[in-house]
Amino acid sequence: MQMNLANKLTLARVVMIPVFLVVLLTGIFPYPFNRYAATAIFVIASATDMLDGYIARSRNMVTNFGKFMDPIADKLLVASAMISLVGLGELSAVAVIIIISREFIVSGFRLIAVEAGIVIAASKWGKIKTITQMITLIFLLMGFGGTTAGIIGFVLVLLSVVLTIISGVDYIWKNKEVLKG
């Protein structure tokens, strides 16, 4: 299979994940520069998510590899950042468990749908959820201190969790016929 530009961007996102983790979690850069560099890598990786999808659709480059790998790359990026922040004591493990559980549930649900010959497209709620999670992670990665930043961070995490639950319920509710088969 020849790799098109959209698929190369997806793979670039996957390659950026270990780089992001090394920069964030090791002493390669002193604090707070490690946070700024890790945030920049996360922002660039997140931007490839929007860019690869746009390129694939606008240039008719949609491939099975892209359909398979793009959501995996997104989940790996977000989960890596969230788990790292839990390890750093900056994000609630409960929030991360809820968010990652939703991803497993929806992914499993999609597998059942595929076996039934049903394609479940990404929903508006799923896209809003992903964007909110990425904004939340960017804010948390910046490592702002103080009471106001703490409140903003808490609200963003809460919003991410609520949108995660809403989008998961939306996927299952709109496609409940998959469970009848």
Side-chain angles (χ1 to χ4, degrees), residues 42 71 74-83 85-86 90-108 125-126 128-137 140 153-169 171:
F42 185 84
D74 298 342
K75 288 168 184 42
L76 287 172
L77 177 64
V78 170
S80 296
M82 288 184 175
I83 292 167
L85 288 168
V86 169
E90 298 176 20
L91 182 57
S92 163
V94 173
V96 175
I97 290 167
I98 291 169
I99 289 168
I100 292 176
S101 295
R102 180 261 185 215
E103 299 306 335
F104 276 110
I105 291 166
V106 169
S107 294
W125 285 110
I128 293 169
K129 176 255 331 167
T130 300
I131 291 168
T132 303
Q133 287 175 356
M134 289 181 174
I135 290 168
T136 300
L137 288 168
L140 295 175
F154 176 79
V155 169
L156 286 171
V157 170
L158 185 61
L159 182 61
S160 291
V161 169
V162 168
L163 289 171
T164 295
I165 293 168
I166 290 170
S167 70
V169 169
Y171 268 109

Side-chain angles (χ1 to χ4, degrees), residues 11-100:
L11 284 180
R13 185 161 62 258
V14 173
V15 169
M16 282 188 255
I17 295 168
V19 175
F20 161 77
L21 293 171
V22 166
V23 170
L24 179 64
L25 299 174
T26 69
I28 196 166
F29 295 113
Y31 182 85
F33 300 108
N34 67 322
R35 298 305 287 260
Y36 303 147
T39 303
I41 294 165
F42 185 84
V43 167
I44 292 166
S46 297
T48 67
D49 178 31
M50 292 180 284
L51 188 58
D52 66 6
Y54 172 77
I55 289 171
R57 286 185 298 277
S58 68
R59 297 183 184 180
N60 198 24
M61 293 181 175
V62 176
T63 64
N64 286 336
F65 176 83
K67 289 179 199 175
F68 169 75
M69 199 62 203
D70 182 66
I72 289 173
D74 298 342
K75 288 168 184 42
L76 287 172
L77 177 64
V78 170
S80 296
M82 288 184 175
I83 292 167
S84 296
L85 288 168
V86 169
L88 293 170
E90 298 176 20
L91 182 57
S92 163
V94 173
V96 175
I97 290 167
I98 291 169
I99 289 168
I100 292 176

